[in-house]
């Protein structure tokens, strides 16, 4: 199941400032063999640098992620700001962005969709549910979701 | 102001329109009455002139008759034998006098001082002269202010015929004609016209003055009212502004509280997710007997729990600011920072930092305990965010700008990229995760300074270029 239906692995960009949370996400993916390609960045600026191929990532040969898992409260550049910049970029706006946050605040959800987030999920407190979410999400984006671009 | 002034004028005119109309009507009525009176006077003058003309004609004829009669009576030529010449000038002043004094007055007014009958003592002739004089006077008896000077071009003739002729001529001359009366009336009317013109003018001016005074006093009242109203309106506006300000600050407080609640719930939930997540992983790892992972899981759980503890402590501290208020006092900034420096000596020696504090910095009036927290946090911050391999050099200084003490803590640390400026003082906001911390320190500094009605700022040229944190509070003058 680590391969996409068409035989390709899913590349996820994980934007998460909390290292422990990042580890939880990655170990869940690992456990369910969802993906062997998770790129983890710790703040909003790094996420933008990665996607726009600038700053520390300017000279690297980088693969465009299939999906971005984006936390909202991030150092330097806020998650909503990262989302807005992705969705207003002609080049990047087709990349699905899933908000993965501890916040279930209506304001955050509304804002995220206003900025064209593709999905909004709240990190469950319960570990079993957390793992279930990661499994479902990985499977969904890997197996079911069709991306607008062909590789 | 000007438009309201115009409005007040309009109001005034509206209010006094009836008074104005009445005044104008009064003027019209008076003019009409005057015109009518003048007209009737003219008519009256015509009547008088006609009556006098006929009267004087009658008297003239009577006088002529008298002369003829006396001439026949005497029947002989009366020779005038006079040693003195007759007067050359006779002024006849005709005034409105009573009949009894008429003769005497005529005598007086014959300028030569010699009346005709004195001049000619002959009784008969005297009688004639007297009658003549009388006739002349009676002609003009009622015609007051009529004055005529008779100039005799030559001496009075000495023969009776010549004298009679001259007297005839005199009578004719002294007879008041219609033209004389009309001329005199016209003169009088002219004088009266002038008088009434002046009277009307003064009436006009008086009424204008009264109107002006009324308008002025009413206007003054209006203006006074306006001033009073504007004072009231000013007060209302001030109150409105105050209320708006209070509302605004309440809104500020409200949104701050909302932000705070949101942040707290979010950030406290985060370690909980970690703890529960790693407990789940731990159970699995125990089953699998992966010791390395078991240790890692336990460490993560412990770290998350610790973090939660620190967060709670910090939050408690933050919530005390503004809630627990110590009595404010005068604080010398130099002493304040010296005390704060002694509290961070551990960190200083660990980092090899030097903190220099300016002498004789100004004083502020604040909660001393809280201000020490501010100073300590700023110093702590400056030491913590040092550049790699560089000993921190920290300068504390202050200056007074517009009555505000601006206190600066300058470091040579990692600096702050200006584009993250709105994340510097935010609660739980951390710019660089490679440094420990909860993101409460600077939020606490901001909160304490703002509770004291101050402001916090920072500037940095950018990453790697050091940073200056500043707070501004009102200055206190000390002796």
């Amino acid at each position: 199941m680590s391969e996409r239906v068409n035989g390709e692995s899913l590349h996820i960009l994980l934007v998460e400032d909390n290292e422990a949370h990042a580890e939880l996400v990655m170990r869940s993916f690992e456990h369910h063999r969802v993906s062997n390609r998770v790129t983890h960045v710790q703040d909003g600026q790094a996420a933008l640098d990665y996607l726009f191929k600038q700053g520390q990532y300017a000279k690297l040969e980088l693969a465009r992620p299939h999906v971005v898992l984006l936390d909202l409260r991030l150092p330097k550049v806020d998650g909503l700001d990262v989302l807005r910049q992705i969705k207003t970029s002609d080049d990047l706006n087709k990349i699905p962005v899933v908000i993965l946050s501890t916040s279930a605040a209506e304001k955050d959800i509304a804002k995220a969709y206003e900025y064209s987030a593709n999905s909004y999920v709240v990190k469950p407190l319960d570990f079993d549910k957390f793992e279930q979410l990661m499994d479902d999400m990985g499977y969904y984006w890997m197996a079911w979701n069709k991306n607008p671009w062909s590789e | 102001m000007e438009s309201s002034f115009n409005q007040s004028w309009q109001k005034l005119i509206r209010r006094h329109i009836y008074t104005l109309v009445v005044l104008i009507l009064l003027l019209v009525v008076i003019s009409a009455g005057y015109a009518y009176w003048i007209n009737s006077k003219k008519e009256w003058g015509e009547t008088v002139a006609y009556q006098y003309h006929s009267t004087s004609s009658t008297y003239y004829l009577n006088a002529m008759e008298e002369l003829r009669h006396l001439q026949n009576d005497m029947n002989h030529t009366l020779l005038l034998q006079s040693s003195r010449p007759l007067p050359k000038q006779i002024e006849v002043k005709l005034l409105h006098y009573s009949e009894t004094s008429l003769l005497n007055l005529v005598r007086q007014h014959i300028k030569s001082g010699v009346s005709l009958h004195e001049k000619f003592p002959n009784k008969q002739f005297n009688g004639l002269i007297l009658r003549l004089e009388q006739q002349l006077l009676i002609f003009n008896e009622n015609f007051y202010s009529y004055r005529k000077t008779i100039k005799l071009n030559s001496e009075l003739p000495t023969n009776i015929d010549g004298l009679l002729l001259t007297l005839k001529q005199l009578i004719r001359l002294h007879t008041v004609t219609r033209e004389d009366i009309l001329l005199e009336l016209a003169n009088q009317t002219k004088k009266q016209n002038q008088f009434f013109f002046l009277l009307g003018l003064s009436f006009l001016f008086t009424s204008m003055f009264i109107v002006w005074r009324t308008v002025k006093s009413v206007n003054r009242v209006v203006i006074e009212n306006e001033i009073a109203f504007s004072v009231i309106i000013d007060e209302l506006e001030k109150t409105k502004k105050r209320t708006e300000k209070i509302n605004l600050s309440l809104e500020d407080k409200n949104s701050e509280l909302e932000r705070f609640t949101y942040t707290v719930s979010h950030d406290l939930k985060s370690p909980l997710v970690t703890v529960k997540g790693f407990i789940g992983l731990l159970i699995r790892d125990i089953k699998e007997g992966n010791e390395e992972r078991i240790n890692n899981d336990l460490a993560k759980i412990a770290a998350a729990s610790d973090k939660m503890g620190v967060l709670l402590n910090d939050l408690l501290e933050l919530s005390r600011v503004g809630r627990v208020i110590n009595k404010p006092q005068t604080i010398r900034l130099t002493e304040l920072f010296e005390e704060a420096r002694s509290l961070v000596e551990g960190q200083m020696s660990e980092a090899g930092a030097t903190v220099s504090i300016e002498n004789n910095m100004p004083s502020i009036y604040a909660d001393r305990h809280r201000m020490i927290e501010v100073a300590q946090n700023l110093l702590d911050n400056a030491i913590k965010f040092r550049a790699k391999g560089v000993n921190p050099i920290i300068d504390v200084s202050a200056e007074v700008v517009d009555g505000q003490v601006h206190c600066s803590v300058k470091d040579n640390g990692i600096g702050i990229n200006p584009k993250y400026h709105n994340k510097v003082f935010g609660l739980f906001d951390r710019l660089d995760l490679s440094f420990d911390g909860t993101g409460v320190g600077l939020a606490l500094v901001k909160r304490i300074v703002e509770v004291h009605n101050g402001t916090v700022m920072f500037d940095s040229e950018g990453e790697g270029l050091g940073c200056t944190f500043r707070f501004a509070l009102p200055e206190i003058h000390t002796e």
Side-chain angles (χ1 to χ4, degrees):
Chain A
M1 229 165 75
S2 68
E3 299 296 302
R4 295 187 72 174
V5 178
N6 59 10
E8 226 182 305
S9 68
L10 179 75
H11 179 201
I12 296 170
L13 177 66
L14 175 64
V15 191
E16 172 61 79
D17 64 321
N18 188 319
E19 225 168 318
H21 286 193
E23 195 179 332
L24 279 176
V25 170
M26 286 195 280
R27 278 185 67 178
S28 297
F29 281 154
E30 193 185 305
H31 182 70
H32 295 282
R33 299 181 299 278
V34 168
S35 171
N36 52 6
R37 288 175 70 198
V38 176
T39 305
H40 174 218
V41 289
Q42 276 198 312
D43 61 63
Q45 186 60 53
L48 289 174
D49 286 349
Y50 183 92
L51 289 166
F52 287 94
K53 295 182 168 58
Q54 60 190 20
Q56 55 176 316
Y57 300 101
K59 294 202 173 74
L60 299 174
E61 201 58 43
L62 298 165
R64 183 196 288 264
H66 293 109
V67 63
V68 177
L69 287 187
L70 184 64
D71 196 3
L72 285 186
R73 272 187 68 82
L74 290 171
K76 293 179 182 171
V77 181
D78 198 68
L80 282 174
D81 209 19
V82 174
L83 173 66
R84 191 178 51 80
Q85 291 198 40
I86 292 171
K87 291 303 182 184
T88 51
S89 153
D90 288 341
D91 191 32
L92 301 173
N93 63 11
K94 293 187 188 72
I95 300 178
V97 179
V98 178
I99 304 297
L100 181 63
S101 169
T102 48
S103 166
E106 280 168 32
K107 202 176 70 186
D108 282 338
I109 298 170
K111 266 269 183 278
Y113 280 109
E114 191 186 316
Y115 290 152
S116 313
N118 298 73
S119 182
Y120 191 109
V121 289
V122 179
K123 290 172 189 168
L125 269 182
D126 192 274
F127 179 65
D128 288 337
K129 283 181 185 162
F130 193 95
E131 277 221 308
Q132 185 67 51
L133 169 69
M134 291 306 144
D135 187 18
D136 290 349
M137 201 160 56
Y139 191 78
Y140 175 83
W141 289 104
M142 188 172 72
W144 296 115
N145 188 60
K146 286 282 176 218
N147 278 335
W149 62 85
S150 53
E151 290 175 60
Chain B
M1 192 67 203
E2 204 180 335
S3 68
S4 71
F5 193 76
N6 282 342
Q7 276 172 12
S8 85
W9 261 104
Q10 285 168 7
K11 255 186 269 167
L12 194 72
I13 288 165
R14 264 203 299 281
R15 205 175 300 162
H16 294 275
I17 191 81
Y18 295 114
T19 320
L20 282 172
V21 166
V22 165
L23 277 170
I24 289 164
L25 281 176
L26 206 64
L27 273 174
V28 168
V29 166
I30 285 164
S31 321
Y34 175 67
Y36 176 76
W37 181 73
I38 288 288
N39 203 39
S40 65
K41 192 168 156 31
K42 212 170 152 194
E43 275 173 19
W44 171 82
E46 291 280 353
T47 317
V48 168
Y50 173 73
Q51 279 174 357
Y52 273 81
H53 179 62
S54 45
T55 317
S56 60
S57 303
T58 314
Y59 278 113
Y60 170 71
L61 291 175
N62 286 347
M64 285 296 134
E65 191 60 32
E66 195 73 27
L67 273 177
R68 243 191 331 274
H69 187 64
L70 283 173
Q71 200 177 4
N72 294 336
D73 254 11
M74 282 191 280
N75 216 8
H76 60 277
T77 308
L78 185 73
L79 287 171
L80 290 172
Q81 288 167 340
S82 176
S83 53
R84 281 192 284 170
L86 283 167
K88 287 193 173 158
Q89 188 175 315
I90 304 164
E91 190 194 52
V92 183
K93 200 167 190 182
L94 299 160
L95 291 164
H96 195 208
Y97 293 123
S98 67
E99 252 180 89
T100 48
S101 57
L102 266 175
L103 281 173
N104 291 333
L105 279 166
V106 169
R107 283 187 199 112
Q108 278 169 21
H109 284 282
I110 293 174
K111 267 281 167 77
S112 65
V114 186
S115 60
L116 290 172
H117 56 96
E118 278 169 343
K119 193 126 208 95
F120 310 104
N122 182 291
K123 219 176 178 183
Q124 282 176 309
F125 186 69
N126 203 17
L128 165 74
I129 296 299
L130 260 179
R131 272 211 291 278
L132 272 173
E133 280 180 352
Q134 221 167 345
Q135 289 291 345
L136 277 174
L137 282 167
I138 290 164
F139 291 161
N140 306 297
E141 185 186 335
N142 291 315
F143 202 61
Y144 59 92
S145 83
Y146 182 78
R147 193 188 285 252
K148 213 164 190 177
T149 302
I150 306 161
K151 276 185 182 163
L152 300 175
N153 292 330
S154 54
E155 290 189 353
L156 282 172
T158 48
N159 64 330
I160 190 71
D161 287 334
L163 184 65
L164 283 175
L165 195 69
T166 310
L167 284 174
K168 269 183 192 172
Q169 282 165 353
L170 272 177
I171 288 165
R172 200 172 285 128
L173 268 174
H174 285 258
T175 301
V176 178
T177 63
R178 182 186 147 83
E179 280 66 38
D180 288 333
I181 292 168
L182 283 179
L183 196 72
E184 184 59 26
L185 266 177
N187 270 335
Q188 283 179 19
T189 310
K190 202 175 156 191
K191 274 180 199 158
Q192 277 165 351
N193 275 354
Q194 279 169 356
F195 172 74
F196 277 105
F197 176 73
L198 286 174
L199 191 73
L201 214 62
S202 65
F203 175 78
L204 194 70
F205 277 120
T206 312
S207 49
M208 272 169 76
F209 179 73
I210 290 164
V211 168
W212 176 68
R213 281 301 299 264
T214 315
V215 163
K216 206 181 148 192
S217 71
V218 170
N219 205 27
R220 201 183 58 230
V221 170
V222 167
I223 285 169
E224 274 167 8
N225 280 350
E226 222 160 68
I227 289 166
F229 276 128
S230 74
V231 166
I232 291 166
I233 285 164
D234 274 2
E235 275 306 310
L236 283 175
E237 296 248 304
K238 269 183 208 158
T239 314
K240 195 180 157 206
K241 266 181 196 151
R242 265 202 298 277
T243 317
E244 271 170 6
K245 211 173 159 189
I246 291 166
N247 277 347
L248 222 64
S249 86
L250 275 178
E251 264 169 38
D252 258 17
K253 286 243 155 54
N254 223 352
S255 66
E256 191 188 302
L257 193 69
E258 207 174 283
R259 238 183 356 256
F260 182 78
T261 317
Y262 164 75
T263 314
V264 167
S265 67
H266 182 279
D267 280 73
L268 286 180
K269 205 174 154 193
S270 190
L272 214 58
V273 170
T274 309
V275 169
K276 290 203 84 171
F278 276 94
I279 286 171
L281 286 174
L282 181 66
I283 291 163
R284 190 190 297 151
D285 288 337
I286 287 169
K287 268 185 205 155
E288 288 169 8
N290 190 332
E291 202 173 319
E292 197 190 322
R293 283 200 163 174
I294 292 169
N295 286 337
N296 173 58
D297 297 342
L298 286 172
K300 289 279 154 62
I301 291 166
S305 311
D306 284 350
K307 187 172 177 191
M308 209 157 178
V310 174
L311 274 176
L312 285 173
N313 272 340
D314 285 353
L315 282 175
L316 207 61
E317 188 60 33
L318 195 63
S319 76
R320 277 204 194 102
V321 178
R323 191 163 53 84
V324 181
I325 298 161
N326 299 308
K327 202 170 179 292
Q329 49 182 292
T330 304
I331 309 162
R332 289 174 202 276
L333 280 175
T334 308
E335 282 171 23
L336 182 83
F337 272 93
E338 275 163 1
E339 193 175 333
R341 181 167 60 183
S342 71
L343 293 172
V344 296
E345 254 166 15
Q347 290 100 301
M348 278 172 69
S349 62
E350 194 192 315
T354 46
V355 177
S356 49
I357 298 162
E358 191 187 352
N359 281 325
N360 299 320
M361 284 196 285
S363 296
I364 53 167
Y365 190 68
D367 180 339
R368 186 177 173 84
H369 178 70
R370 296 287 167 221
M371 287 315 293
I372 287 198
E373 276 184 315
V374 168
Q376 192 187 341
N377 264 297
L378 288 176
L379 292 181
D380 200 35
N381 201 64
I383 297 166
K384 195 206 281 179
F385 295 98
R386 59 184 177 265
K388 226 171 224 172
V390 179
N391 289 341
I393 298 167
I394 298 153
D395 280 313
V396 181
S397 61
E399 58 178 342
V400 178
V401 182
D402 298 332
Q404 295 266 313
V405 179
H406 288 235
C407 182
S408 313
V409 178
K410 186 177 186 296
D411 66 45
N412 59 341
I414 57 166
I416 298 167
N417 189 329
K419 69 175 169 180
Y420 307 134
H421 68 94
N422 59 349
K423 286 223 156 199
V424 171
F425 292 105
L427 180 62
F428 299 127
D429 272 334
R430 294 162 64 204
L431 289 181
D432 196 326
L433 300 175
S434 57
F435 293 95
D436 275 347
T438 55
V440 174
L442 287 176
L444 188 70
V445 166
K446 182 172 187 260
R447 179 104 179 96
I448 292 170
V449 172
E450 282 177 357
V451 161
H452 286 92
N453 294 321
T455 47
V456 285
M457 304 146 268
F458 80 93
D459 43 46
S460 175
E461 303 269 300
E463 277 166 286
L465 295 169
C467 186
T468 305
F469 277 92
R470 226 176 248 126
F471 63 84
L473 287 170
E475 188 196 8
I476 290 294
H477 297 280
T478 49
E479 311 78 54

